[in-house]
Amino acid sequence: MKLTQLAALCALSSAAVFAQAKPVWQDFSLTALYDENYEVGTEQRTTLTGEYAAKYKYADVFFFVDHQWDDHEDQNTYFELAPRLSLSEVSGQNLSFGPVKDVLVATTWEHNAAYDNNQGFNNFLYGIGFALDVPYTSYANINFYKADNERQKDDYQMTITYAVPFKVGQEDFLVDAFFDWSTAEGQGHASELNWTSQYKWNVGKHISPQTKLYVGVEHSIWNNKFGIKGMDQNDVSALVKYHF
C-alpha cells in the first residue's frame, strides 16, 4: 500500500472515531433514477441510491452508494465515503475568515465493486476543505484533493457542493448539486468535468408537514467521462427521493 493511501486511510479512521459521538444532525435518503442517454456502456440505466449525511462536533461525513441496472440486466455498485475533520473544533480556534466558516481535513474513499469482467477499484483522495457561508444556500463546500488512483494515473481534483432551497407560492423546491473537476494526467487520462444537479419539488408536504418526498429531475453534464477524451454526457434522469 502506498504511503499516501495509508495516510488517507488514517484520516478516514480518525474521522470515523470522532463520528462515534452523537450527531448534531443527520439525514438518510433513498433516490430512484431512470435515464436512457448514458455514455459509456448501455444507454438505459436504473439507479437506486442510498445517502447518509451528518454533522458531528469534530467532523462531518457524507456517504452514498449507487446500485445500477441496465437493460441487459448487468449490474454495478459504486460508493463514496467522504468524512472531513474540522480543524476549528480540533484546535479550539476560530479559523473562519471572509466567506469561510471552517477549514477541514478532507478525505474520500471511492470504491467500485467487481462484476464479471469489471475488476473494480479503490481510489483514495485527501486534501483540504472549506465550509462556506454563501447567501441563499443551506450549505456550500469546496474541497481540494490529491487522488491516489488504483487503475489510472494519480491526479488532482476540486469538488464543490451546494444546496439552494426556495419557494414558489406555497410550494417548496430544492436545487442541490456537486461539481467535480480533475486534472489531465498523461495521454490516456483527459481532464474531467462532472456537474450533476438535482431539481426537486417537495410533494411530501401535501401528505404531512414532516414528510420529505421529492420528485424532479437530475441533470448530468460530464465532459471526458472516466477520463476518455471526447466522451461527453449531457442527460436528464427522472428522479424520486425520500428522506427518512
Side-chain angles (χ1 to χ4, degrees):
M1 177 180 289
K2 296 180 181 179
L3 179 60
T4 48
Q5 290 182 342
L6 182 59
L9 282 175
C10 289
L12 287 166
S13 301
S14 298
V17 169
F18 286 119
Q20 297 305 309
K22 183 178 179 181
V24 177
W25 59 261
Q26 61 182 346
D27 180 74
F28 299 88
S29 65
L30 280 177
T31 304
L33 294 165
Y34 178 78
D35 182 64
E36 297 181 346
N37 295 291
Y38 277 83
E39 296 291 343
V40 184
T42 307
E43 291 185 350
Q44 181 178 318
R45 307 281 179 90
T46 300
T47 306
L48 183 64
T49 301
E51 293 177 282
Y52 174 72
K55 174 69 175 72
Y56 297 85
K57 177 174 175 58
Y58 294 102
D60 59 35
V61 62
F62 176 69
F63 171 77
F64 78 86
V65 56
D66 286 341
H67 191 78
Q68 195 170 83
W69 300 264
D70 64 21
D71 56 354
H72 296 156
E73 298 185 357
D74 291 331
Q75 301 183 43
N76 184 63
T77 300
Y78 173 81
F79 73 69
E80 291 186 12
L81 173 63
R84 302 189 307 169
L85 188 63
S86 168
L87 295 180
S88 294
E89 292 292 350
V90 171
S91 67
Q93 303 296 316
N94 182 0
L95 301 180
S96 63
F97 60 94
V100 174
K101 297 189 296 184
D102 197 4
V103 182
L104 306 100
V105 176
T107 62
T108 298
W109 172 22
E110 301 175 340
H111 174 75
N112 195 76
Y115 280 96
D116 299 326
N117 295 326
N118 172 25
Q119 297 180 2
F121 61 80
N122 288 289
N123 298 332
F124 298 96
L125 289 70
Y126 56 94
I128 188 168
F130 301 93
L132 305 176
D133 185 6
V134 178
Y136 307 110
T137 65
S138 56
Y139 65 80
N141 300 283
I142 184 168
N143 300 325
F144 298 95
Y145 297 107
K146 170 70 165 61
D148 279 333
N149 299 313
E150 188 171 25
R151 301 199 175 279
Q152 63 186 33
K153 288 187 176 182
D154 297 345
D155 59 358
Y156 295 88
Q157 179 174 308
M158 177 184 71
T159 297
I160 298 171
T161 59
Y162 60 88
V164 181
F166 64 95
K167 282 182 172 288
V168 177
Q170 298 300 312
E171 301 302 320
D172 295 331
F173 295 87
L174 178 64
V175 177
D176 51 19
F178 71 84
F179 178 94
D180 286 342
W181 175 82
S182 62
T183 58
E185 299 296 336
Q187 294 183 351
H189 181 197
S191 173
E192 294 183 62
L193 183 153
N194 183 354
W195 182 22
T196 298
S197 310
Q198 294 185 349
Y199 302 86
K200 296 170 289 192
W201 169 41
N202 183 10
V203 299
K205 65 177 293 184
H206 297 288
I207 301 172
S208 77
Q210 292 76 35
T211 302
K212 293 183 178 180
L213 175 63
Y214 290 87
V215 297
V217 296
E218 179 178 279
H219 181 207
S220 173
I221 299 172
W222 195 344
N223 294 339
N224 298 332
K225 186 173 182 178
F226 300 141
I228 304 171
K229 184 68 173 179
M231 186 62 69
D232 298 336
Q233 177 174 297
N234 188 339
D235 66 279
V236 177
S237 304
L239 175 153
V240 178
K241 187 168 190 174
Y242 181 73
H243 293 259
F244 294 90

